Amino acid sequence: MISYCLFILCIFVSQMSLEPDDESDSPNCDVAAMLELQVSEVEMLTSMFPDKTEFSLDDPTAVKNIQSFLDGHIKYEYLHKRIGFSLHVNPEGSQMSVELVCTFPHEYPQAAPNVFTRCSDMSKENHRKLNEDLHEFIQSLDRGEICMFSVIEWIQSNIDNYVQPVEVDDSTSEKEVQYDTILSRLWIYSHHIFSKFKRRDIIDWAEELKLTGFSLPGKPGVICVEGYSRNVDDYWHRLRGMNWKRIVIKEKEEADIGDDDIDKHRKFSNFEEKVFNVRGGKGREYHMDFGQLHSYLEEHQSGHLFSIYFGVDGKSS
């Protein structure tokens, strides 16, 4: 058995030689040119969908903030906002309406946009397949060119492939009720979590989907989310759609809680970002005190997850 101290040392040394973040807060492209394209694309979408019930910016001041940077009024390090919006797509001749939710990283269109859909009228399996196929389509597009018009066209052309007639009968109702009774808990491992934008989305999406758990930024990064399985699946799809060096599910726990109050079965009362004693690394890299992480997991009846994450037994600080 490798000693705990040696294990921590090995992690620290190995981190020093690994590559930087695939999507950091410091762009590796001509960010001004990328942002100019984003502003132009938003103007195009606004003209195409003038009704606010169709197209809505998450934060209208984000475009103004970006324009201030482009005009030279603020430096990039003070540009803390990104363009995000939701768009309702109603394909002609289809009874299905889809809400398209999108966020542009500052490097878009050199980097892929973060896109997912919402559709309450679609079955769980079809909705999952729609998001997966949409993600594959976006990844297949040439980088460096704006693509939201192509995304909208793809949804309009393909949405009927994900619509299945559903007969309302007792068995169907029973399946829906049964699905709503499943508590799911994901234990996620990331090579690292540094970006302030990712850290904010990790928290905001968990709150939106009424998930509890925690995130641990640094290198490596750890995320745990728990809640109703449909919301947990939605969260994982959004998370996976970001640019990561590596992100995997280390453990998935599920339990049928019947009609019981889900809060009785949660291990966490809310979702929060945990910051333990930070230890510096190369450049902006850092990692947390793993002893404190183990203690935190023990406090939430999850100490065994430490060995699943790191391959050795933990030791509390």
Side-chain angles (χ1 to χ4, degrees), residues 76-130:
Y76 181 74
E77 55 262 36
Y78 300 112
L79 183 59
H80 301 309
K81 295 186 177 183
R82 295 170 300 173
I83 292 175
F85 58 85
S86 27
L87 173 66
H88 288 271
V89 181
N90 300 282
E92 185 176 353
S94 176
Q95 298 180 347
M96 189 70 66
S97 174
V98 176
E99 182 183 10
L100 191 66
V101 183
C102 178
T103 305
F104 290 159
H106 285 170
E107 295 84 356
Y108 168 79
Q110 192 62 48
N114 184 24
V115 180
F116 61 90
T117 67
R118 294 191 184 109
C119 186
S120 58
D121 296 329
M122 191 175 292
S123 70
K124 170 192 173 184
E125 182 60 28
N126 284 353
H127 190 219
R128 180 191 62 79
K129 189 69 167 60
L130 169 63

Side-chain angles (χ1 to χ4, degrees), residues 10 15 34 45 156 216 248 268 284 304-305:
C10 289
Q15 288 168 352
M34 299 300 103
L45 291 171
Q156 291 175 330
L216 184 76
V248 295
F268 303 89
R284 69 190 184 94
H304 64 288
L305 265 300

Side-chain angles (χ1 to χ4, degrees), residues 200-218:
R200 185 173 64 194
D201 287 342
I202 286 169
I203 297 171
D204 289 349
W205 290 342
E207 292 177 350
E208 175 195 341
L209 296 168
K210 296 179 172 58
L211 304 178
T212 53
F214 73 96
S215 65
L216 184 76

